[in-house]
């Protein structure tokens, strides 16, 4: 079974530029997550989708970050404009979720963003 | 105060040693508990879920104490391949939002 795919794997941009990340979850996984992992910290949830609807975006800095999952499959996360403190690994994860049971989250390899 | 607290380490142990990691969480409404493993420059992967009754998977034993809001992971007979960061994770809320600790770095020495 194919895992969670992410691209690009690495990105270097200057501050105030924009950047977009792409994620394709495991086939059949209805729930998709974007996490930010700053060096030396654990992943922090930015946004969670159930199919193409947003379930939780309470920690997404909405003035500069946006995400969409238009057809309920793949997703994009955008940062515009980027700040130095956005340098991090952006992890996408997916899972089977229903409101009775919770399933394991499977993570993609991440996109390592460096803002200079 | 962070919602999930872990000793960041590093823990440097010889092969064959037993090592224990501890974790505390502050939100009493937390409802699910996990240990994830993250190798250097790799993505996190689920190591095991943690239950109040305790659970064991080979050399790994996890314990949960809800009253003390405390989670532990014990690794027996450490192998070089156990070297990684171990993330304590709790889930809460209707969507079981996962809150990750900062991780504990384990280095098993030959």
């Amino acid at each position: 079974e194919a895992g969670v795919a992410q691209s690009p794997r690495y990105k270097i941009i200057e501050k105030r530029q924009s950047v977009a990340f792409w994620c394709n979850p495991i086939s059949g996984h209805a729930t998709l997550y974007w996490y930010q992992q700053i060096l030396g910290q654990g992943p922090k949830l930015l946004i969670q989708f159930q199919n193409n609807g947003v379930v939780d975006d309470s920690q997404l800095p909405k003035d500069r970050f946006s995400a969409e999952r238009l057809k309920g499959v793949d997703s994009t996360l955008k940062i515009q404009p980027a700040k130095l403190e956005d340098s991090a690994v952006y992890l996408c994860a997916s899972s089977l979720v229903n409101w009775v049971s919770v399933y394991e989250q499977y993570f993609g390899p991440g996109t390592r963003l460096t803002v200079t | 105060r962070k919602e999930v607290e872990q000793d960041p380490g590093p823990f440097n142990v010889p092969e064959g040693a037993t090592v224990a990691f501890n974790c505390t969480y502050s939100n009493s409404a937390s409802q699910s508990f996990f240990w994830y493993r993250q190798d250097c420059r790799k993505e996190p992967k689920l190591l095991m879920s943690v239950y109040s009754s305790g659970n064991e998977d080979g050399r790994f034993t996890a314990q949960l104490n809800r009253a003390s809001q405390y989670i532990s992971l014990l690794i027996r007979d450490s192998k070089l391949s156990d070297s990684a960061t171990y993330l304590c994770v709790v889930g809460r809320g209707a969507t079981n939002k996962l809150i990750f600790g900062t991780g504990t770095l384990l280095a098993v020495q030959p």
Side-chain angles (χ1 to χ4, degrees):
Chain A
E1 179 182 88
V4 176
Q6 289 188 249
S7 67
R9 293 295 311 277
Y10 305 91
K11 190 74 178 179
I12 301 174
I13 61 172
E14 295 182 351
K15 59 184 179 183
R16 291 188 289 274
Q17 286 187 323
S18 62
V19 64
F21 312 129
W22 175 83
C23 172
N24 193 301
I26 293 172
S27 177
H29 281 194
T31 306
L32 185 148
Y33 313 80
W34 282 102
Y35 289 86
Q36 180 192 57
Q37 186 172 23
I38 293 172
L39 187 65
Q41 299 182 20
K44 181 184 81 171
L45 180 69
L46 293 175
I47 189 166
Q48 177 183 342
F49 292 94
Q50 178 74 11
N51 297 308
N52 60 349
V54 175
V55 173
D56 184 343
D57 64 357
S58 57
Q59 297 188 98
L60 187 73
K62 298 180 187 63
D63 58 334
R64 297 184 302 104
F65 286 63
S66 64
E68 60 183 16
R69 193 185 184 198
L70 292 176
K71 297 182 179 179
V73 180
D74 56 353
S75 174
T76 55
L77 176 70
K78 296 180 182 177
I79 307 175
Q80 182 180 9
K83 293 185 175 181
L84 295 177
E85 60 260 36
D86 298 333
S87 294
V89 176
Y90 291 84
L91 294 161
C92 179
S94 69
S95 70
L96 294 165
V97 171
N98 62 39
W99 304 116
V100 176
S101 302
V102 174
Y103 295 91
E104 177 179 353
Q105 292 187 24
Y106 294 84
F107 285 81
T111 296
R112 187 173 298 272
L113 174 68
T114 302
V115 182
T116 63
Chain B
R1 182 188 172 192
K2 292 180 178 160
E3 188 168 342
V4 179
E5 299 257 24
Q6 292 182 254
D7 181 342
F11 282 50
N12 294 298
V13 302
E15 271 187 291
T18 295
V19 60
F21 303 138
N22 302 317
C23 166
T24 58
Y25 60 95
S26 60
N27 193 324
S28 59
S30 299
Q31 62 211 36
S32 57
F33 309 88
F34 311 92
W35 285 99
Y36 274 70
R37 170 188 168 135
Q38 186 169 26
D39 292 299
C40 186
R41 302 179 76 88
K42 298 285 190 182
E43 70 272 21
K45 292 184 179 179
L46 179 66
L47 178 66
M48 57 199 306
S49 301
V50 190
Y51 306 109
S52 295
S53 54
N55 48 305
E56 186 174 313
D57 182 3
R59 298 181 293 107
F60 299 82
T61 301
Q63 295 275 358
L64 167 65
N65 184 320
R66 283 186 182 266
S68 301
Q69 297 182 193
Y70 172 92
I71 308 163
S72 66
L73 177 68
L74 185 75
I75 305 176
R76 292 180 299 278
D77 189 22
S78 299
K79 311 291 185 191
L80 294 175
S81 56
D82 294 334
S83 297
T85 295
Y86 290 83
L87 296 158
C88 177
V89 186
V90 303
R92 57 169 169 80
T95 60
N96 201 48
K97 176 176 179 175
L98 295 187
I99 311 298
F100 286 77
T102 55
T104 299
L105 179 62
L106 171 65
V108 181
Q109 314 288 343

